[in-house]
Amino acid sequence: MTQFQSKLLDEIKRIISDQRRVLWEEHDLYSYSFDASFGTYLPDVVVQPVTTDEVVKLVKFANQYKIPITPRGHSTCLSGGPLPVQGGIVCDMSKMNQKLLIDEEDLVAIVSPGVLTSQIHKAAEEKGLMYPPDPSSSGVSTIGGNLAENSGGPRGLKYGVTKDYVIGLEVVTPEGEVIRTGGRTVKNVTGYDLTKLIVGSEGTLGIITEAILRLIPKPPASETLMAIFDDLVDSGRAISKVLSSGILPSKLELMDQASIAAVENYEPCGLPTDAEAILLIEVDGHPHAVADEIASVREICKQVGAREIRMAKNDKERQELWKARKLVSPAIAKIKPTKISEDATVPRSKIPDMFKRLKEIRAKYNIDLVVFGHAGDGNLHPNIIADKRDKEEMRRVEQAVSEIFAAAIELGGTLSGEHGIGTMKAPFMEMELGTVGLEMMRRIKKAWDPNNIMNPGKIFPEPGQKLVLTDE
Amino acid sequence: MNKTETVENKLTDLKKTLAYYETFSCVQCGYCLPACPTYQTMGKETHSPRGRINLVKMTAEGKLTNLNLLADSIDKCLGCRACETACPTGVRYGKIYESAKSLLHLREEESSPSKGWKNILLHSVIPNKKRLNRLANFVWFYQKSGLQKIARHSGFLRLLPNHLGEFEALLPTLPSPVERAKRPVRFPAQGKPKYRVAFFTGCVMDAIFEKINRLSMQLLQKAGCEVVMIEGETCCGALHAHTGDLETAKQLAKQNITAFEQAANREPLDFIVNNAGGCGAMLIEYDHLFRGDPEWEPRARTFVEKTRDISQVLTMTGPLPIVKQTNQKKEVVTYQRSCHMTNVQKVTKEPLQLIRSIPGIELREMENPDKCCGSAGIYNIVNYNESMDILDDKMSTVKNTGATTIITTNPGCLLQMKMGIIREGLQDKVRAVHLVELLAEACGIEI
Ligand SMILES: Cc1cc2nc3c(=O)[nH]c(=O)nc-3n(C[C@H](O)[C@H](O)[C@H](O)COP(=O)(O)OP(=O)(O)OC[C@H]3O[C@@H](n4cnc5c(N)ncnc54)[C@H](O)[C@@H]3O)c2cc1C
Ligand code: SF4
Ligand code: SF4
């Protein structure tokens, strides 16, 4: 045990009564040293609070002794958010999962931060309601993590992302005070909108200890079709035409040729490997409206030159169609073990341009790059498949990633549509925000967290910080 | 090279001993966390699949040097492989786990080549049919002679190590040595013969659950199979593989493969049938055990191709000759799956189909039916407290179904469910059976 540890531990054990929720042995520290992105950083201690009161005392203690404290959900982050880059305390919020109340009258859910996103989906659905944000990781991600990252998902196109469904929060500030933001009403204009400020702040402005989420009635029906294109550009035109025709699909997902080939290699689903793109389109709503809309979508795809259109007749066929999309991630992981999953996002109209740029980048750096994702909202997921152990390849990947970011910003887009900045994208912040934009954000951080203890080392780049994807 | 030297080499060449390369296929997405029973009950990443894989990697890279800490994580793993089924990128956790077990086993051998009770059980008793039989006969004597009564009243059982006293109460009444010896070595098919199958009796299964083995053979017989025993078969080696002793596991596998080949030379055999989810999972991975071995890999593959769980064969032979009356009161049952049958053998539909084919039975599924019950080989003996936490969780979902019968497909699960029933004080209301017992009952088979 280090000296630092033994000093810390005595105090922390006074705060957390149950000693089993204070972890400090080496193997425990290694177990909380990573997320789903890059890098290994050992904390000095891991604490698993279960009440707001415990969080308050812990944060006060950390603030008094200027010990870094990093909130953590289930560490599925793709940008380094829960990594304790400066050591200190990892505050594991996943054990704080006691509350999940659905209020049918107010159409809200009141939840503890450690509740899994999928549990909220399930609880809402049991009451005929829906919590729309649906990150693919919802089976394991915590709502606290979703809020801190402002996570999105396929349904973002029609229903928006996490921030569109949060109306109130309980937050422990970096100085250990409890504040409540917003409330139980959809309309609320009292003062600055701190709720929205906390959402997407990646654990740098405080620890979320409770949230009030807005629910909507569950749409009674949905229909899905798959359209296959020989030409990637045609698929782009189909997307624009569908979206400008007055129909707002609930999901609009794309798979490029590389991802089609990978899926067919991995688990044949009867997809044509010579096609350049596949679109999966889902509409939802009233059964009559849905039938009408899916027919129009089909017509549009045909006009634009889809080579084949497959319609799902029932739930089973619907799942079959979506299966191909679900298989993309596992399929590409078979090519090489390391997956760098980017989520640069561009305005819808620029999707075809972005495709062109990605193609050039792939050729220039000779990398394995596949594109799939939420095409409808411009949130393409360019994924680079590489091997972490191949240093030379990783250097090329680092350059390619930087160029992808630059391309997205040039086209009027953004670094991140949903995965957050964390450590991975911090070096590119100024490129998007400009010097003053970034400085205003720094000032906010400083005002909230004068001792810079709350998840330090994130979002804001250190001078000269560069993207590094290798361990050493 | 002498033995300690090899052990030392292996302990230093960690990257080779551990399945280091495999750990890279884990992208640390965490999808496996909700599926892992020990993550749920123990509540920390150290006891999750993702955490375990990372610790193996850290050990291989020489970053985590204290093997006791690795052991704390790995030894608490049930080996249920639910994480493999949940993993979107197909990480072969079983390989990583076994490599870590085997490293820890080497180290144990190195530090204390002692013959603890675990060693004696695994090396001297289980692989030896004669000794197992003698043990079974002793238990029979113990049960019949009045010794059991004395032991139960005297409080002597509480003195046994590792809560073994509590397991004593779960033992079924065993057949006498005379009955045991009378079991035929061949059961002719009834009706039109459909298949000729070799029956894999297993070790513990045959010693303690001999009745279920016998019922299995009679069921197969009724379903139109000619059943033959394999002379010279032994324990499948699962318990050894799971404790990291791959050498013994391989020896046992070779013995079984050879025994089967000899039987198949005498007469053509369609399948090798077993009725224990855990053994079956080991048998169908024999080819992995010998990967890269030019002689044994192909021989193992032939063996694997013929291996089936009894539920698979009973569904292939067509509807069972059920005689059970339908006018009785409906019996509510629930099905606790064997993890190894679900996650390794991937046999999931057949048992359900068989259960549903019995009239007068209502199957009510529990929440998370795929979740491990905590028995996991000898996990419930070695990690008694952890196992009981998992069992208590399981029993609360069982109780919610209101079932009066719990169906299992593996001897370990069967014992664990019996233990669960006792812990909940439900002895008078709920029973635990092997699927074969339920089917035999429905077909009017008695012994
Ligand atoms: C395979 C895979 C698929 C994914 N798909 C999507 C997707 O479709 N859409 C999407 O948006 N994201 C996706 N993600 C990214 C990730 O799942 C999300 O960012 C998720 O919200 C993280 O939740 P978590 O519980 O794992 O949080 P963590 O990763 O543990 O933490 C994320 C951030 O939140 C902070 N944090 C956690 N809890 C709290 C709290 N209570 N208070 C304050 N801060 C807190 C942490 O400090 C960190 O900065 C995916 C990830 C993977 C691995
Ligand atoms: S085998 Fe079972 S207990 Fe072990 S890590 Fe996987 S899910 Fe958890
Ligand atoms: S689900 Fe698979 S890839 Fe993801 S963390 Fe678990 S083992 Fe690793």
Side-chain angles (χ1 to χ4, degrees):
Chain A
M1 202 187 299
T2 60
Q3 228 184 350
F4 185 48
Q5 260 189 350
S6 55
K7 225 177 65 199
L8 270 176
L9 278 178
D10 286 344
E11 194 64 38
I12 290 174
K13 284 182 179 165
R14 261 193 288 277
I15 297 170
I16 307 286
S17 52
D18 182 353
Q19 311 284 295
R20 282 173 308 180
R21 294 191 275 111
V22 182
L23 321 175
W24 53 270
E25 285 184 289
E26 203 186 356
H27 63 327
D28 289 328
L29 302 182
Y30 269 112
S31 298
Y32 289 81
S33 68
F34 58 82
D35 69 355
S37 72
F38 287 83
T40 306
Y41 300 88
L42 291 187
D44 291 290
V45 55
V46 179
V47 184
Q48 303 179 305
V50 293
T51 62
T52 304
D53 190 49
E54 285 180 343
V55 178
V56 165
K57 289 183 176 143
L58 191 67
V59 175
K60 281 210 161 110
F61 165 71
N63 188 45
Q64 186 183 349
Y65 293 98
K66 301 199 172 52
I67 302 161
I69 178 165
T70 302
R72 181 188 193 268
H74 264 147
S75 228
T76 65
C77 189
L78 291 169
S79 56
L83 300 177
V85 292
Q86 298 182 8
I89 304 168
V90 160
C91 184
D92 175 11
M93 299 301 289
S94 65
K95 297 281 136 339
M96 196 165 164
N97 58 4
Q98 288 73 13
K99 199 188 268 185
L100 172 49
L101 294 174
I102 304 287
D103 185 328
E104 288 161 276
E105 250 173 67
D106 289 348
L107 282 179
V108 295
I110 302 165
V111 297
S112 306
V115 171
L116 303 185
T117 320
S118 58
Q119 289 172 332
I120 303 175
H121 289 154
K122 198 166 149 236
E125 247 160 66
E126 276 164 14
K127 302 263 163 83
L129 301 172
M130 172 158 101
Y131 173 67
D134 59 341
S136 331
S137 51
S138 58
V140 55
S141 69
T142 66
I143 188 68
N146 285 181
L147 290 162
E149 294 292 343
N150 189 11
S151 299
R155 284 204 286 248
L157 171 62
K158 178 169 179 178
Y159 294 100
V161 296
T162 303
K163 73 163 184 256
D164 301 309
Y165 294 87
V166 199
I167 53 176
L169 290 174
E170 180 185 87
V171 182
V172 175
T173 69
E175 292 173 295
E177 307 293 340
V178 182
I179 56 165
R180 284 200 157 268
T181 73
R184 283 171 90 106
T185 57
V186 172
K187 292 185 172 178
N188 180 328
V189 294
T190 312
Y192 292 148
D193 192 347
L194 296 184
T195 310
K196 294 274 158 70
L197 176 62
I198 297 294
V199 173
S201 66
E202 304 190 19
T204 61
L205 297 182
I207 301 183
I208 300 162
T209 47
E210 191 172 295
I212 306 174
L213 308 170
R214 187 164 70 85
L215 304 174
I216 61 171
K218 186 174 168 334
S222 72
E223 290 286 353
T224 300
L225 70 69
M226 175 188 271
I228 300 166
F229 294 87
D230 283 328
D231 186 343
L232 190 64
V233 179
D234 285 347
S235 73
R237 290 210 332 249
I239 297 172
S240 323
K241 268 204 120 164
V242 168
L243 293 174
S244 56
S245 70
I247 296 168
L248 192 50
S250 47
K251 297 180 187 169
L252 204 172
E253 301 280 302
L254 174 133
M255 290 166 63
D256 75 347
Q257 189 164 23
S259 33
I260 300 170
V263 167
E264 279 303 301
N265 233 334
Y266 177 69
E267 197 181 316
C269 296
L271 306 178
T273 46
D274 58 334
E276 269 196 9
I278 286 180
L279 290 183
L280 275 157
I281 305 177
E282 182 190 275
V283 293
D284 69 358
H286 189 276
H288 292 310
V290 161
D292 251 23
E293 287 181 358
I294 200 79
S296 319
V297 171
R298 181 200 174 109
E299 209 36 55
I300 292 171
C301 290
K302 239 193 196 149
Q303 276 170 19
V304 176
R307 106 169 182 203
E308 189 191 334
I309 293 170
R310 299 181 188 173
M311 306 272 278
K313 285 193 230 36
N314 48 41
D315 253 358
K316 202 170 150 256
E317 288 187 19
R318 215 160 292 147
Q319 278 164 21
E320 280 296 305
L321 290 186
W322 281 107
K323 187 174 153 205
R325 168 68 180 84
K326 290 219 171 82
L327 285 174
V328 176
S329 283
I332 58 178
K334 284 276 167 274
I335 304 175
K336 276 182 207 165
T338 312
K339 190 173 113 182
I340 298 101
S341 168
E342 283 315 332
D343 69 326
T345 304
V346 295
R348 274 175 202 150
S349 58
K350 294 286 192 270
I351 293 173
D353 300 82
M354 187 65 180
F355 272 131
K356 226 175 101 231
R357 297 289 283 270
L358 289 171
K359 224 172 169 170
E360 288 160 13
I361 294 171
R362 168 167 37 201
K364 179 167 168 197
Y365 294 103
N366 184 25
I367 45 168
D368 276 309
L369 183 134
V370 296
V371 184
F372 59 95
H374 322 319
D377 51 16
N379 187 190
L380 303 174
H381 280 279
N383 271 257
I384 301 173
I385 321 297
D387 189 333
K388 228 191 319 210
R389 288 157 294 184
D390 183 341
K391 298 264 146 63
E392 188 272 329
E393 180 179 30
M394 293 311 278
R395 297 273 176 264
R396 276 185 283 130
V397 173
E398 284 163 7
Q399 288 168 340
V401 168
S402 310
E403 216 159 293
I404 291 174
F405 290 149
I409 291 170
E410 265 174 51
L411 292 171
T414 177
L415 289 174
S416 175
E418 55 185 28
H419 296 163
I421 301 302
T423 51
M424 297 267 294
K425 291 174 209 145
F428 307 96
M429 283 289 269
E430 203 172 318
M431 183 161 80
E432 177 168 341
L433 299 172
T435 327
V436 181
L438 188 59
E439 177 56 24
M440 290 313 284
M441 285 195 189
R442 273 194 212 271
R443 287 190 202 172
I444 294 176
K445 165 75 176 167
K446 197 140 194 183
W448 277 73
D449 183 13
N451 292 320
N452 194 27
I453 55 142
M454 193 54 73
N455 205 1
K458 306 298 162 63
I459 300 184
F460 303 105
E462 305 290 329
Q465 188 181 334
K466 275 216 184 84
L467 174 72
V468 180
L469 297 175
T470 46
D471 277 338
E472 283 93 60
Chain B
M1 221 187 316
N2 66 34
K3 193 162 179 198
T4 41
E5 238 178 84
T6 353
V7 170
E8 225 156 64
N9 281 348
K10 286 194 172 168
L11 282 176
T12 40
D13 202 354
L14 290 169
K15 279 191 186 167
K16 278 210 190 109
T17 315
L18 291 167
Y20 178 59
Y21 187 80
E22 288 288 334
T23 64
F24 279 88
S25 51
C26 172
V27 295
Q28 307 190 319
C29 67
Y31 277 30
C32 51
L33 298 189
C36 175
T38 60
Y39 178 67
Q40 270 179 30
T41 50
M42 302 174 71
K44 50 180 181 166
E45 190 81 54
T46 321
H47 296 127
S48 81
R50 176 172 70 170
R52 291 182 172 122
I53 294 168
N54 182 55
L55 288 176
V56 168
K57 190 191 225 167
M58 293 298 123
T59 308
E61 290 178 356
K63 290 180 180 145
L64 181 72
T65 48
N66 184 343
L67 289 186
N68 289 331
L69 292 179
L70 178 68
D72 175 52
S73 166
I74 295 295
D75 287 346
K76 300 274 157 60
C77 169
L78 296 157
C80 72
R81 316 253 298 253
C83 43
E84 275 189 18
T85 308
C87 177
T89 59
V91 174
R92 291 193 293 171
Y93 175 78
K95 272 204 89 172
I96 299 171
Y97 168 70
E98 249 164 35
S99 75
K101 272 290 198 188
S102 134
L103 173 79
L104 295 169
H105 175 77
L106 281 173
R107 181 195 61 143
E108 234 171 63
E109 253 187 3
E110 168 89 316
S111 59
S112 64
S114 74
K115 292 270 171 245
W117 63 269
K118 204 165 96 183
N119 259 322
I120 298 178
L121 185 69
L122 287 179
H123 293 105
S124 307
V125 182
I126 286 182
N128 184 319
K129 282 235 150 187
K130 277 213 192 90
R131 286 198 193 133
L132 255 185
N133 263 339
R134 234 180 283 147
L135 183 69
N137 290 341
F138 169 75
V139 174
W140 170 80
F141 176 73
Y142 167 82
Q143 289 176 332
K144 286 282 142 141
S145 63
L147 258 183
Q148 184 170 41
K149 265 204 188 118
I150 299 172
R152 283 185 179 175
H153 283 148
S154 65
F156 160 76
L157 291 174
R158 259 176 279 132
L159 302 177
L160 289 177
N162 292 75
H163 302 266
L164 283 176
E166 281 161 54
F167 290 94
E168 182 269 356
L170 310 176
L171 292 178
T173 314
L174 296 196
S176 74
V178 181
E179 286 170 66
R180 212 176 258 280
K182 271 199 311 209
R183 186 169 75 190
V185 291
R186 182 178 294 272
F187 291 74
Q190 289 178 5
K192 194 169 144 266
K194 291 172 185 146
Y195 300 110
R196 185 184 297 122
V197 305
F199 191 79
F200 186 84
T201 55
C203 52
V204 178
M205 195 74 201
D206 212 35
I208 297 182
F209 293 111
E210 198 273 341
K211 183 180 151 216
I212 297 176
N213 270 353
R214 213 180 266 227
L215 289 174
S216 302
M217 293 187 245
Q218 292 181 352
L219 257 180
L220 286 164
Q221 182 180 29
K222 259 212 154 74
C225 298
E226 179 179 358
V227 187
V228 297
M229 312 273 238
I230 320 172
E231 203 183 318
E233 67 149 68
T234 182
C235 163
C236 66
L239 292 177
H240 307 82
H242 298 157
T243 48
D245 182 1
L246 291 180
E247 280 316 308
T248 310
K250 279 186 191 166
Q251 269 170 26
L252 295 171
K254 284 182 183 172
Q255 195 178 328
N256 282 325
I257 295 168
T258 313
F260 164 74
E261 287 170 345
Q262 283 165 356
N265 276 341
R266 281 191 291 273
E267 55 193 332
L269 294 168
D270 296 305
F271 303 115
I272 311 163
V273 185
N274 73 84
N275 61 7
C279 301
M282 183 69 205
L283 299 179
I284 68 151
E285 289 203 326
Y286 271 3
D287 51 344
H288 294 267
L289 199 59
F290 293 110
R291 180 156 295 157
D293 181 328
E295 184 197 342
W296 284 95
E297 193 180 343
R299 288 171 74 176
R301 194 162 311 118
T302 315
F303 185 93
V304 168
E305 278 160 8
K306 296 259 177 194
T307 296
R308 296 287 185 287
D309 181 72
I310 187 166
S311 63
Q312 294 176 292
V313 177
L314 291 178
T315 15
M316 280 190 296
T317 47
L320 285 170
I322 287 171
V323 295
K324 190 173 172 172
Q325 304 295 319
T326 44
N327 51 9
Q328 307 166 339
K329 197 170 151 267
K330 257 205 181 294
E331 182 183 357
V332 179
V333 304
T334 193
Y335 172 37
Q336 169 54 32
R337 288 140 174 84
S338 143
C339 303
H340 284 137
M341 200 149 127
T342 306
N343 301 320
V344 184
Q345 296 191 62
K346 311 251 184 317
V347 175
T348 50
K349 292 196 196 84
E350 291 87 347
L352 287 174
Q353 195 182 326
L354 291 169
I355 294 169
R356 294 208 171 101
S357 73
I358 308 174
I361 273 192
E362 182 190 338
L363 174 66
R364 277 195 217 147
E365 293 277 24
M366 62 189 93
E367 210 183 314
N368 301 323
D370 287 347
K371 211 175 116 188
C372 181
C373 64
S375 75
I378 53 171
Y379 187 93
N380 49 5
I381 304 179
V382 183
N383 298 301
Y384 179 81
N385 292 329
E386 288 81 3
S387 164
M388 291 305 125
D389 284 347
I390 293 167
L391 176 59
D392 292 347
D393 252 18
K394 181 50 81 182
M395 288 312 291
S396 71
T397 62
V398 167
K399 273 201 297 196
N400 286 341
T401 64
T404 52
T405 300
I406 311 171
I407 304 167
T408 62
T409 44
N410 182 54
C413 312
L414 182 54
L415 280 178
Q416 182 86 340
M417 285 295 109
K418 289 183 187 229
M419 175 81 113
I421 291 171
I422 294 175
R423 283 174 78 85
E424 299 286 336
L426 295 171
Q427 293 94 312
D428 300 332
K429 298 195 190 91
V430 181
R431 62 170 186 162
V433 298
H434 190 290
L435 173 62
V436 161
E437 294 176 277
L438 193 77
L439 295 173
E441 216 173 78
C443 294
I445 301 174
E446 272 169 49
I447 32 176

